[in-house]
């Protein structure tokens, strides 16, 4: 009798295994470039608190923006459990801001990676349309070592001036997601420099391919917009930092993390957006 029950349990476990939900903690964070005029909010003052927040939240993957080379090295040193992908936007090597993706190196295997420019010539360093600056999207294809789940993570920073550039950047990224990921699982994070009422946001959110995590989360914690300008008294519902997801993911929780330190200072002039997602374990 015991043997029959044991075999039945094993059979049920085997059948249930492919449907077991797995959880990932993802985030996007504009860390504010190392501006020497930021005396009270200088990078080296902010670094321990920013890195501490990331480690405490225990993100599995994190898209970051406005990261200069020295900041990339500082973060890599402060986050020893993470590896990263990305290049500088000015030359495709080390110059200018990066949009790097940090990921837990013990948890994920990096399969492929790349960066493209948000311009009509995306394969080479370039400035697109009416943009004020060169803009990029960095991506990686990852495999969860424990489940075999494969997904793409795209991370970007849209231009702060060019209206046409933001619109065309949204179209370009959607085309790249389709070309690289096909119908597979995909995440798009970034500072889009537009809120949820803008046409560039709508192009992505209404694409049928990707959906804002905010719109689908079972639990939402959003006490503020995502840009704070180093002023905690700034209150808005404008979310300019977003995480979009393909239907492979179910969003359990969404949060805008308004952590402060030192009597009201913020680790960056943006608040990070953090989400917890679930996906069906592959067969």
């Amino acid at each position: 009798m015991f043997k029959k029950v044991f075999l039945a349990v094993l059979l049920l476990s085997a059948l249930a295994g492919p449907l077991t939900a797995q959880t990932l903690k993802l985030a996007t964070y504009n860390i504010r470039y190392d501006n020497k005029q930021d005396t009270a909010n200088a990078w080296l003052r902010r670094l321990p608190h920013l890195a501490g927040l990331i480690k405490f939240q225990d993100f599995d993957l994190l898209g970051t923006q406005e990261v200069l080379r020295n900041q990339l090295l500082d973060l890599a040193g402060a986050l020893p459990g993470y590896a990263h992908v990305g290049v500088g936007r000015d030359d495709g090597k080390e110059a200018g801001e990066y949009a790097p993706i940090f990921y837990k190196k013990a948890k994920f295997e990096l399969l492929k990676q790349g960066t493209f420019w948000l311009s009509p010539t995306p394969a080479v360093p370039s400035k697109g349309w009416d943009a004020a600056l060169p803009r990029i999207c960095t991506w990686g294809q990852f495999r969860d070592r424990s489940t075999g789940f494969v997904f793409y993570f795209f991370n970007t920073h849209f231009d702060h001036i060019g209206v046409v550039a933001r619109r065309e950047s949204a179209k370009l990224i959607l085309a790249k997601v389709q070309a690289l990921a096909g119908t597979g699982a995909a995440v798009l994070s970034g500072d889009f420099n537009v809120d949820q009422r803008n046409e560039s946001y709508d192009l992505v959110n209404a694409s049928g391919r990707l959906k804002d995590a905010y719109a689908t989360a079972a639990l939402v914690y959003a006490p503020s917009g995502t840009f704070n300008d180093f002023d905690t008294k700034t209150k808005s519902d404008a979310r300019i930092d977003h995480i979009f997801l393909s239907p492979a993911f179910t969003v359990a929780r969404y949060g805008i993390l308004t952590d402060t330190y030192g009597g009201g200072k913020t680790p960056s002039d943006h608040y990070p957006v953090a989400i917890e997602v679930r996906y069906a374990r592959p067969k």
Side-chain angles (χ1 to χ4, degrees), residues 53-72:
L53 185 157
I54 293 169
K55 288 188 285 189
F56 180 80
Q57 292 294 334
D58 197 30
F59 300 131
D60 293 310
L61 295 103
L62 170 70
T64 55
Q65 304 85 39
E66 289 196 24
V67 184
L68 295 175
R69 178 69 180 172
N70 66 298
Q71 294 175 289
L72 183 71

Side-chain angles (χ1 to χ4, degrees), residues 17-56:
L19 300 177
T20 301
Q22 305 295 309
T23 300
L24 295 177
K25 296 182 73 174
L26 313 176
T28 185
Y29 203 173
N30 181 322
I31 69 164
R32 170 69 171 181
Y33 74 101
D34 185 4
N35 186 334
K36 303 309 177 186
Q37 296 180 354
D38 290 343
T39 52
N41 298 293
W43 166 244
L44 291 180
R45 293 176 184 264
R46 299 187 287 112
L47 171 61
H49 307 285
L50 192 146
L53 185 157
I54 293 169
K55 288 188 285 189
F56 180 80

Side-chain angles (χ1 to χ4, degrees), residues 86-141:
V87 297
R89 69 187 184 188
D90 289 0
D91 62 358
K93 297 177 182 177
E94 297 182 356
E97 293 179 8
Y98 292 60
I101 300 165
F102 287 84
Y103 63 96
K104 287 184 177 178
K105 54 191 176 184
K107 185 166 185 174
F108 302 102
E109 178 187 1
L110 177 65
L111 302 178
K112 298 177 184 177
Q113 63 173 299
T115 294
F116 57 88
W117 278 258
L118 304 183
S119 83
T121 54
V124 296
S126 49
K127 186 169 65 174
W129 304 287
D130 59 345
L133 298 165
R135 299 291 183 174
I136 56 176
C137 180
T138 289
W139 60 271
Q141 184 190 34

Side-chain angles (χ1 to χ4, degrees), residues 145-160:
R145 297 182 190 274
S146 65
T147 67
F149 178 66
V150 175
F151 61 99
Y152 282 79
F153 195 112
F154 296 80
N155 181 55
T156 193
H157 189 181
F158 279 14
D159 198 66
H160 64 303

Side-chain angles (χ1 to χ4, degrees), residues 1-10:
M1 181 66 180
F2 176 81
K3 184 176 181 181
K4 290 182 179 179
V5 171
F6 180 72
L7 290 174
V9 170
L10 284 180

Side-chain angles (χ1 to χ4, degrees), residues 271-283:
Y271 294 124
V273 174
I275 64 173
E276 183 180 293
V277 302
R278 299 189 178 111
Y279 66 87
R281 181 175 180 174
K283 295 180 180 179

